[in-house]
Amino acid sequence: MNVNDYVLKYFDENNEELSKLAKEIWDYAELGLEEHKSCKAIIDVLEREGFSIEENISDMPTAFIGTWGSGEPIIGILGEYDALAGLSQKVSHIKEPVIEGAGGHGCGHNLLGIGSLGAVVAAKRAMEKYGIKGTVRYYGCPAEETISSKVFMARDGIFDDLAASLTWHPDFANAAYYSSTLAMNSFKVNFHGITAHAAGDPQEGRSALDASIIMDIGVNYLREHVIQEARIHSIITHGGDAPNIVPGYSQIHYIIRAPKRQDVEEIYERVKNIAKGAALITGTTYDIEFICGTYNYTVNNTINDLIADKLAQVGPIEYTEEELEFAKNLIGSLEPGQFESFLSSHRLDIDEIGGIICGRIADELELKGFSKGEVVPVSGDRADVSYITPSAQFGTTCVPLGTAEHNWQFVASCGSTIGFKGMILAAKVMALATLDFMQKPELLKAAQDELDSVRKGKEYVSPIPSDITIKKIMEKH
Ligand SMILES: [Zn+2]
């Protein structure tokens, strides 16, 4: 039996156990930085398989690394396992929480964590059996939804010695992500003024709210003079306490996004100057509370092509009548017009896809959000890893078409066999790609050359200021 067949056999034999584990994490539905039971379930398997475990990575109690093997190349597979607040939902096509108000896996990270686990274990077993040299690592990355933990892990240099990294995400199609994402900075500006009786002696007051409003007017004028693709979002999170008191404190929260990290940095500097100006105009003072920042995603076509090959090799997903019925009912629960608008916004042709759930490998489909050269208007912490080491992420079908992330239908599908089938496909692809990396150094060299050509010698500089620590973030959380 060759290595590939051995890997596929591993999944045939362990499909059920991995699916059971994914359901266990789905049941726990723990929120960011509280994923203790989910972590333990994953670490238990890694320890049983002989991986050494380092916990409390970057001061996060639910971040860990599991390592097996020795020497180079070192391949990292990233896993996540945090749920989303308030999205508790049964595996049902009717909206019905398991526990009212509890968390739910609305982004399918139960599958993400266990798919990546299956991949490292299968790769390790194959390396052991066939004497393949190298090191395989599982990165347990918590709190993706809330604090972008990978950026903190990246700042601590824990991805620096990797030859490549792989990860995936539950999606509506089986395809490599050839598209980039936006770089981002999220921060709050606190203005401090002087309170006074708004009618009796306003001349004694200095309004912090005026500062927030003037700052936002300034930023609105800035919009015309930044690159077209930049987005600046803001909300005033605190405006004052009563209209008859000159506000002594006000806070405005901004998110800046742009296609390149450098663009975000430049706009951020100009926005900080607007804060300074608003404080001068209003006679207030201000400070900036940095929340988080990320790079834009660096696409690596060398690895994407490998992933696309592996997807094609492993093949499409077949569904049972029950699964197709469940998919149909889930789509039936969407708001009127939502399904049609999903199809058109992703340039999906239902006849080309072959049904309401995309089991086939979307190699030649020009799906929006997957295609070369596109920038998907979202930001994520995997982007930082992709600048540090050659990386790829891909999607596998875990939900029917039209099912959007962070919705109850997504939770339901990611707890069902539709989700588990997508997860097993992802695990197979990552295990096979990892073994290719180990056996074909020229592949890693090509991937590194491609990354070098993007970076042009520019080192990774963490978007997070050095005085921001996880402890500080956790205190505020
Ligand atoms: Zn997600």
Side-chain angles (χ1 to χ4, degrees):
M1 187 182 294
N2 67 26
V3 183
N4 284 4
D5 291 341
Y6 177 81
V7 167
L8 298 179
K9 186 168 156 275
Y10 164 82
F11 285 106
D12 287 343
E13 289 167 1
N14 291 277
N15 178 350
E16 263 175 50
E17 198 200 327
L18 290 166
S19 301
K20 228 174 94 203
L21 259 174
K23 183 62 168 49
E24 190 181 322
I25 310 288
W26 186 91
D27 284 333
Y28 294 146
E30 295 168 296
L31 303 186
L33 297 178
E34 294 168 7
E35 314 98 322
H36 299 287
K37 285 188 265 184
S38 308
C39 262
K40 189 179 176 310
I42 297 170
I43 288 175
D44 281 353
V45 174
L46 290 171
E47 281 185 330
R48 206 173 65 216
E49 293 288 331
F51 283 67
S52 64
I53 306 290
E54 272 174 273
E55 290 185 79
N56 216 34
I57 301 296
S58 298
D59 285 332
M60 289 179 280
T62 51
F64 66 93
I65 300 174
T67 303
W68 190 88
S70 64
E72 290 181 342
I74 310 171
I75 307 299
I77 297 186
L78 317 182
E80 296 168 14
Y81 28 72
D82 57 327
L84 285 151
L87 275 186
S88 176
Q89 166 63 31
K90 290 183 180 169
V91 180
S92 162
H93 68 275
I94 296 159
K95 187 170 189 252
E96 191 183 358
V98 182
I99 304 166
E100 191 69 52
H105 273 288
C107 213
H109 294 180
N110 61 311
L111 304 174
L112 210 174
I114 301 305
S116 297
L117 174 71
V120 295
V121 172
K124 169 253 161 179
R125 289 207 186 172
M127 288 165 74
E128 203 168 32
K129 183 165 172 65
Y130 293 91
I132 299 166
K133 297 241 175 317
T135 304
V136 61
R137 274 198 202 136
Y138 182 98
Y139 283 88
C141 308
E144 187 275 333
E145 300 286 1
T146 47
I147 64 157
S148 302
S149 70
K150 292 184 204 76
V151 187
F152 288 92
M153 295 160 87
R155 185 174 67 173
D156 289 343
I158 66 155
F159 302 107
D160 288 358
D161 60 353
L162 290 181
S165 91
L166 293 174
T167 192
W168 73 289
H169 202 283
D171 218 313
F172 66 84
N174 302 310
Y177 294 166
Y178 282 91
S179 48
S180 183
T181 59
L182 297 171
M184 178 269 284
N185 267 7
S186 169
F187 57 97
K188 294 173 177 174
V189 183
N190 296 305
F191 285 103
H192 308 279
I194 300 168
T195 55
H197 192 297
D201 51 0
Q203 70 280 4
E204 301 300 327
R206 297 291 179 266
S207 171
L209 175 61
D210 288 357
S212 283
I213 293 169
I214 288 169
M215 172 159 190
D216 222 30
I217 292 169
V219 171
N220 285 340
Y221 275 96
L222 175 72
R223 289 178 203 278
E224 194 184 343
H225 307 288
V226 295
I227 53 166
Q228 187 85 340
E229 300 81 5
R231 293 259 167 97
I232 310 174
H233 333 297
S234 71
I235 50 166
I236 292 180
T237 44
H238 191 92
D241 299 303
N244 58 355
I245 305 169
V246 173
Y249 170 68
S250 177
Q251 185 186 64
I252 184 160
H253 186 170
Y254 283 99
I255 296 179
I256 301 171
R257 298 184 208 258
K260 293 271 178 294
R261 181 72 215 152
Q262 189 58 33
D263 301 327
V264 169
E265 297 281 359
E266 281 168 22
I267 296 167
Y268 181 49
E269 284 310 310
R270 292 167 76 188
V271 170
K272 283 201 290 190
N273 278 333
I274 293 173
K276 199 192 281 179
L280 265 176
I281 290 168
T282 52
T284 56
T285 60
Y286 75 102
D287 61 80
I288 290 177
E289 202 179 312
F290 196 88
I291 308 294
C292 64
T294 66
Y295 268 56
N296 49 292
Y297 186 71
T298 305
V299 174
N300 196 297
N301 288 322
T302 309
I303 309 187
N304 276 340
D305 290 348
L306 173 71
I307 293 295
D309 281 354
K310 296 297 169 198
L311 278 166
Q313 183 188 329
V314 176
I317 304 175
E318 308 280 339
Y319 297 102
T320 63
E321 283 304 318
E322 288 81 14
E323 285 163 346
L324 291 172
E325 185 66 19
F326 182 55
K328 200 172 118 208
N329 288 333
L330 265 187
I331 290 172
S333 75
L334 300 174
E335 296 297 320
Q338 196 180 330
F339 183 65
E340 292 72 18
S341 119
F342 183 90
L343 293 187
S344 68
S345 69
H346 289 87
R347 297 193 296 255
L348 283 162
D349 180 330
I350 198 82
D351 294 331
E352 209 180 347
I353 293 286
I356 51 168
I357 176 159
C358 183
R360 62 173 282 197
I361 305 300
D363 47 358
E364 74 278 17
L365 292 175
E366 287 281 302
L367 300 179
K368 185 153 178 61
F370 294 82
S371 300
K372 256 180 201 165
E374 288 191 11
V375 179
V376 186
V378 296
S379 311
D381 59 359
R382 68 192 163 87
D384 290 61
V385 185
S386 73
Y387 192 82
I388 294 168
T389 185
S391 303
Q393 187 176 29
F394 62 102
T396 64
T397 303
C398 295
V399 298
L401 299 175
T403 315
E405 287 175 359
H406 298 206
N407 277 296
W408 68 264
Q409 289 96 344
F410 209 93
V411 185
S413 194
C414 290
S416 78
T417 52
I418 293 176
F420 304 150
K421 282 184 174 177
M423 173 189 81
I424 296 292
L425 174 64
K428 286 177 180 172
V429 166
M430 289 187 290
L432 293 174
T434 299
L435 293 163
D436 263 22
F437 286 142
M438 303 279 183
Q439 298 173 97
K440 296 177 187 163
E442 67 278 10
L443 201 58
L444 287 172
K445 186 178 176 309
Q448 185 64 51
D449 287 349
E450 189 180 336
L451 176 59
D452 291 345
S453 74
V454 174
R455 288 176 39 156
K456 297 187 179 71
K458 215 166 162 237
E459 287 300 306
Y460 173 73
V461 180
S462 176
I464 312 168
S466 54
D467 61 325
I468 306 285
T469 61
I470 281 288
K471 284 208 170 71
K472 268 193 198 168
I473 302 249
M474 281 168 76
E475 276 161 20
K476 289 204 170 139
H477 227 65

